[in-house]
Amino acid sequence: MTDGQLRDGVYRALRRFTQEQPPTCQVDSITALIRRGVRIDWPVSDRLPCA
């Protein structure tokens, strides 16, 4: 996976789960952490709507 593909995937995931346009710095930060192998825990509400 290229850096661009990873960054795009992070952007789309943040946008989907936050329902907002994520800040560029947040996307870049999470992308860098993933590239370094850092595990990202993403706590979510028990009340997520069913798709």
Side-chain angles (χ1 to χ4, degrees), residues 3-48:
D3 287 336
Q5 290 170 323
L6 177 59
R7 189 179 185 290
D8 183 58
V10 169
Y11 173 85
R12 287 185 285 121
L14 286 171
R15 178 139 178 130
R16 179 175 180 181
F17 291 112
T18 64
Q19 300 295 312
E20 299 175 355
Q21 183 169 343
T24 301
C25 59
Q26 184 181 24
V27 173
D28 292 342
S29 175
I30 292 174
T31 300
L33 290 172
I34 292 170
R35 275 288 178 221
R36 287 187 297 202
V38 175
R39 180 183 170 142
I40 306 295
D41 289 325
W42 195 317
V44 294
S45 169
D46 292 328
R47 297 183 189 194
L48 284 176

